[in-house]
Amino acid sequence: MSSQSVKTKKQDAEKHSIITSKSMSSRETKMSVQNPSVHRMASKRRVTLKACGNSLERMPPEIILRILSYLDARSVFCISFVNKLFHELSNINSIWYQFYIREHAKKKKANQEDHMIRDLGLVGVKERPEGYWRKTFFTEIASLNVNKWRKKLQHIDPYSGLPRHTEEVLRSLCITWEITVTDGSGRRSTFEQSHASFSSTAVFVFWGAVSWPSFNQLTSLELCGVSRVPLHCPAPYRPAWKSVMSKIKLQGEHSELCVADKIVKMLYVGQGVTLGFWQDQCGIAFVIVNLHNHRLVERSLHASISPCAASEVSALFDDVDPEYGLHGYSAYIELHNTARVVMSDRFSQLFCRRDQISDGYLPLELISENNRSLNTHLVGDVSLPWRTEALHGTIKDCCMINLTLWDEAKQPFWCVSAPVVMTKANQDTVSYDYDGEGFSILYQDSEGRVEMRLKQMEFKEQYFLVNLMIYISVAKVNKHFGRDY
């Protein structure tokens, strides 16, 4: 071959490489303008692709992105856990923007902001930070699911006075609860619930299959409601929102010892949270949390999904009734052992005269010892079962009390769900109807207290509730009704 022909072929090859580089440069420029995030990923991977033997890894990101556009939201979300490349590609705004538009189209009406976003087109998508439309899409489907079940909560149980479908809605919205504890050094540890038990008025949530830090090192406990997006993938991997429901300081004098058996002892730390400890050490064995059903769904949801209304609603002002706020109360009370109802009853037309107010409390009499016809029978023993991943047992003379007190307008006024202890009464009155011992159950917080007096049938081992009083804080009544008692 002559030197002239070799020189001509070399020049043709150089021209071809120059044309190829120019065309590649024009495509890269166009790609950088249309999708800068994909362009950045392609630039980073260009050096490593030559050494990679995996054909999928050698595929350009824009081709993979094209393939991902044919998948549904669940598949794209699951692919993000494969590796770093798919995690970056599955968070591209353009993919999730399309998912958001399709999901939002299910609504009958679209607001003005959504029309503006559609008018912006790709420019509006690019201007959003990475991951914005992914988060917006998940918030959208979570909100649609909440609105779907909100009507269910409007059906009220005429006996308990609370929404009758609370358990169904909580399960449908994939709501669970988590506990986060903080030690003295600021280290936080989060634990998911083991299981939950439902009643008509409350939810009992248990943590018993975890290894807890030493109680002496803990300073605070935080309870959160967790709502997960209804995607068809394993629950731990679903996107979730957390709503802080309560924060409790653990090291303080407010803690109260409830009751104990041979293996564990219980410590009530307030706001429905009870800690179980091993008798021979300071280690936590289990945690039980009482959650009253009043507005439980709203309290467990994050504000971005379901904006929560004010927790306290004042009564309408009334300047005609001189004893406004002293009458028209109704109450539903329930004793529960987290497995079954021990006692439940509803009381109406409760009232208090002005001259009966004393020591900062307004007394309401539900059951009187002078009226035996209202005495209520307790079904079974008063006991509380507990369980860990290795052991289980039952604590005698302990159960849960669920109380709902309504005002004259049938609005929940005072809601209680907490553990209580049954103790022997200090003074026994002579009774010709019951020949057994007398017992009492007491619950008290800053808003009021509940006093229950029971009699035991000596031979049948049955309990009868012979006296029940509710004392409401006068400060709470004055604040709610705008009075000055």
Side-chain angles (χ1 to χ4, degrees), residues 327-341:
H327 56 79
Y329 290 99
S330 302
Y332 178 80
I333 190 167
E334 179 182 84
L335 294 180
H336 206 284
N337 67 359
T338 72
R340 65 175 181 173
V341 177

Side-chain angles (χ1 to χ4, degrees), residues 179-289:
I179 281 181
T180 300
V181 293
T182 307
D183 59 18
S185 62
R187 181 181 178 184
R188 295 166 59 88
S189 304
T190 301
F191 305 96
E192 296 183 357
Q193 69 179 57
S194 300
H195 65 281
S197 176
F198 295 83
S199 77
S200 61
T201 56
V203 180
F204 312 103
V205 191
F206 301 85
W207 285 261
V210 295
S211 298
W212 298 87
S214 175
F215 178 73
N216 294 332
Q217 300 176 357
L218 301 180
T219 58
S220 64
L221 181 147
E222 184 178 276
L223 175 67
C224 294
V226 181
S227 54
R228 301 188 182 277
V229 175
L231 288 177
H232 298 289
C233 60
Y237 299 102
R238 298 177 191 171
W241 287 265
K242 293 185 179 182
S243 174
V244 178
M245 303 177 65
S246 60
K247 293 182 179 180
I248 303 171
K249 293 182 179 179
L250 296 180
Q251 305 301 334
E253 298 181 355
H254 64 280
S255 300
E256 179 182 355
L257 180 64
C258 291
V259 71
D261 63 5
K262 295 181 180 180
I263 304 177
V264 298
K265 56 184 178 181
M266 291 174 55
L267 190 70
Y268 182 63
V269 296
Q271 301 187 44
V273 180
T274 305
L275 306 180
F277 297 89
W278 301 114
Q279 281 279 18
D280 56 348
Q281 53 186 334
C282 294
I284 299 177
F286 59 86
V287 177
I288 303 177
V289 175

Side-chain angles (χ1 to χ4, degrees), residues 19 58 67 140 158 220 242 267 282 331 368 384 392 404 471 477:
I19 295 173
R58 292 175 59 87
I67 297 174
E140 180 72 14
S220 64
K242 293 185 179 182
L267 190 70
C282 294
S368 172
L384 183 68
H392 63 88
T404 309
Y471 296 87
V477 174

Side-chain angles (χ1 to χ4, degrees), residues 61-191:
E62 57 271 22
I63 302 300
I64 302 178
L65 189 63
R66 180 69 175 177
I67 297 174
L68 295 181
S69 65
Y70 292 98
L71 302 180
D72 58 2
R74 179 188 67 85
S75 302
V76 173
F77 176 75
C78 293
I79 281 177
S80 64
F81 295 97
V82 174
N83 55 30
K84 184 178 180 180
L85 170 64
F86 282 104
H87 178 75
E88 293 176 349
L89 287 173
S90 61
N91 282 320
I92 297 298
N93 273 338
S94 58
I95 294 180
W96 292 103
Y97 174 74
Q98 296 300 325
F99 289 147
Y100 170 77
I101 292 299
R102 295 170 194 165
E103 192 69 31
H104 200 73
K106 297 178 182 179
K107 289 187 176 181
K108 295 182 180 179
K109 296 182 180 179
N111 54 35
Q112 185 177 2
E113 180 182 356
D114 296 317
H115 284 300
M116 293 175 62
I117 293 174
R118 286 191 178 93
D119 293 339
L120 290 175
L122 291 176
V123 178
V125 177
K126 295 173 196 174
E127 290 179 352
R128 304 292 185 178
E130 291 187 9
Y132 171 82
W133 288 110
R134 180 177 180 266
K135 181 179 179 179
T136 305
F137 167 75
F138 287 140
T139 304
E140 180 72 14
I141 61 175
S143 300
L144 287 174
N145 205 31
V146 170
N147 294 332
K148 173 184 176 182
W149 291 100
R150 195 182 299 278
K151 294 182 180 179
K152 284 278 188 179
L153 298 176
Q154 298 176 0
H155 300 283
I156 304 299
D157 189 327
Y159 192 63
S160 66
L162 297 170
R164 66 172 66 200
H165 298 296
T166 299
E167 178 182 356
E168 180 184 357
V169 173
L170 289 170
R171 294 185 184 277
S172 300
L173 295 178
C174 305
I175 293 177
T176 57
W177 295 272
E178 290 182 354
I179 281 181
T180 300
V181 293
T182 307
D183 59 18
S185 62
R187 181 181 178 184
R188 295 166 59 88
S189 304
T190 301
F191 305 96

Side-chain angles (χ1 to χ4, degrees), residues 22-34 39:
K22 286 183 179 180
S23 61
M24 290 178 61
S25 177
S26 61
R27 288 199 304 269
E28 290 173 359
T29 303
K30 184 178 180 181
M31 184 176 64
S32 64
V33 173
Q34 291 181 348
H39 174 67

Side-chain angles (χ1 to χ4, degrees), residues 374-391:
L374 297 178
N375 293 357
T376 302
H377 172 233
L378 272 64
V379 180
D381 294 333
V382 178
S383 60
L384 183 68
W386 60 268
R387 178 181 297 273
T388 67
E389 60 180 355
L391 299 173

